[in-house]
């Protein structure tokens, strides 16, 4: 068996080893059913129990109030970009979007197909290195949409934006869901593709308030109505059973870490170590505004794209994979989701020190040669 390395991938991303081991043990037979977890019917008692347990653990983890539904859907967060306006927006209404990165831009693009979009703030001018404090909401938007963590630019909302009036707050929480405590009652709808913090790709978690399920449009295809999935307990058609099974194991794993408060503390410590090193480094520089730095995706540069590429290769040789920044921003990105081990963060810091020493050596040698 090959040994595992430290995987900084932005998604699909590292999963807890104990979860993978348990899944492996159940591939050939889920418990003592004699049927593998991938092979069970979604209508059979064993898989129904998996779904019920996944929902129960999810509710427990985030103290989800009774007037919210927990849905396990397909199509990724990107399908939600369209499903949300399809349900809640029409030609006569406006939805407000906080544009804080590439994913919120994509969400806007979809919403524009269904109604009017008001850009309540836009961080594009500063290349999304900061979450703008100024907000320009419309009077009574159908909803207010924001992206709690900007996976590509490494920024994160420290707290939720406050929508005007009683407009429902809609959140793309794909890359920081369940990485810290969350007050679900502040939201109308929260969604997340699983592949960053919750499980494998192929399943999308949606937490939606009852009145929004009812408010959703009826003249849209059945699969795009939240009502359909709420009424059928996420089993209207064949759901992503393996994804939900794995999510169930991840929910239990988070509970074992001390729940959301427990993982938040660990995440603060991991990101804190990394940022303090970056702040004092003479070679590397973090790119996000300190007031809204992400604890999930830490973005940094040397200032020299060639040196960045050298470092990514240098780190790769030391069992640190996936540090290349997103193609749209360059530099480096360390994605350190819940399941990313603290030892990997420490190894990254040591590796950056080593590279920095080598580099300053080279700098002083060349300056001596020039003298
Ligand atoms: C990864 C990501 C997405 C896209 O998710 P898919 O499941 O691939 O559609 C959307 N929003 C955010 C914040 C992300 O990090």
């Amino acid at each position: 068996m090959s040994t595992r390395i430290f995987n900084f991938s932005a998604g699909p991303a590292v999963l807890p080893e104990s979860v993978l081991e348990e899944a492996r043990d159940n591939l050939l037979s889920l418990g003592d059913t004699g049927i593998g977890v991938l092979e069970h019917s979604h209508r059979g008692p064993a898989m129904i129990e998996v779904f019920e347990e996944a929902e129960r653990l999810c509710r427990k983890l985030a103290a989800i109030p009774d007037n919210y539904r927990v849905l396990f859907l397909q199509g990724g967060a990107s399908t939600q970009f369209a499903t949300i306006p399809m349900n809640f927006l029409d030609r006569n209404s406006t939805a407000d979007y906080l544009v804080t990165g590439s994913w919120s831009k994509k969400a806007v693009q979809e919403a524009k197909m269904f109604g009017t979009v008001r850009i309540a703030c836009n961080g594009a001018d500063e290349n999304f290195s900061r979450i703008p404090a100024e907000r320009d909401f419309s009077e009574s938007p159908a909803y207010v949409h924001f992206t709690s963590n900007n996976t590509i630019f490494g920024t994160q909302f420290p707290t939720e934006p406050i929508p005007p009036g009683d407009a429902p707050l809609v959140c793309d929480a794909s890359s920081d869901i369940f990485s810290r405590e969350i007050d679900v009652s502040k939201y109308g709808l929260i969604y997340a593709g699983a592949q960053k913090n919750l499980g494998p790709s192929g399943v999308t978690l949606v937490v939606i308030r009852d009145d929004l399920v009812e408010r959703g449009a009826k003249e849209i295809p059945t699969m795009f109505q939240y009502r359909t999935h709420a009424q059928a307990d996420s089993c209207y058609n064949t759901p992503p059973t393996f994804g939900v099974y794995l999510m169930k194991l991840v929910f239990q794993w988070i509970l074992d870490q001390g729940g959301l408060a427990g993982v938040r503390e660990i995440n603060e410590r991991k990101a804190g170590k990394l940022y303090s090193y970056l702040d004092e480094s003479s070679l590397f520089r973090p790119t996000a505004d300190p007031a809204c730095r992400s604890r999930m995706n830490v973005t940094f540069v040397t200032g020299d794209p060639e040196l960045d590429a050298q470092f990514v290769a240098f780190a790769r040789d030391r069992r640190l994979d996936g540090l290349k920044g997103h193609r749209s921003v360059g530099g480096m990105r360390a994605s350190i989701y819940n399941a990313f081990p603290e030892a990997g963060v420490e190894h990254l810091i040591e590796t950056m020190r080593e590279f920095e020493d080598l580099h300053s050596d080279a700098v002083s040698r060349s300056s001596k040669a020039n003298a």
Side-chain angles (χ1 to χ4, degrees), residues 22-34:
E22 183 162 352
R24 178 189 60 196
D25 292 347
N26 285 277
L27 277 182
L28 290 170
S29 172
L30 176 61
D32 58 8
T33 60

Side-chain angles (χ1 to χ4, degrees), residues 8 14 17 41 48 93 97 103 107 118 126 130 147 163 177 186 195 207 266 336 346 356 361:
F8 289 92
V14 60
E17 230 165 86
S41 163
I48 288 173
S93 60
Y97 277 71
W103 295 116
R118 170 131 161 183
E126 300 165 295
R130 186 177 80 86
T147 313
I177 188 152
K186 288 183 178 167
Q195 66 273 21
V207 178
I266 300 167
I336 49 170
E346 280 156 8
E356 192 173 335
D361 241 34

Side-chain angles (χ1 to χ4, degrees), residues 112-163:
K112 280 181 172 166
M113 296 184 204
F114 300 94
T116 306
V117 169
R118 170 131 161 183
I119 306 297
C121 73
N122 192 344
D125 288 350
E126 300 165 295
N127 197 30
F128 298 116
S129 60
R130 186 177 80 86
I131 289 172
E134 321 69 52
R135 307 281 153 77
D136 181 23
F137 291 123
S138 52
E139 217 161 277
S140 56
Y143 59 86
V144 170
H145 180 282
F146 80 112
T147 313
S148 51
N149 182 72
N150 298 286
T151 324
I152 293 172
F153 295 94
T155 61
Q156 188 173 23
F157 279 77
T159 54
E160 298 89 355
I162 300 166

Side-chain angles (χ1 to χ4, degrees), residues 10-11 75-81 103-104 106 147-152 172-176 191-196 201-204 297 333 337:
S78 301
T79 299
Q80 294 303 307
F81 293 167
W103 295 116
S104 24
K106 287 194 166 156
T147 313
S148 51
N149 182 72
N150 298 286
T151 324
I152 293 172
D172 174 1
S174 291
S175 53
D176 69 347
Y191 65 99
Q195 66 273 21
K196 278 118 188 184
S201 58
V203 54
T204 312
N297 310 96
R333 168 176 55 175
Y337 302 119

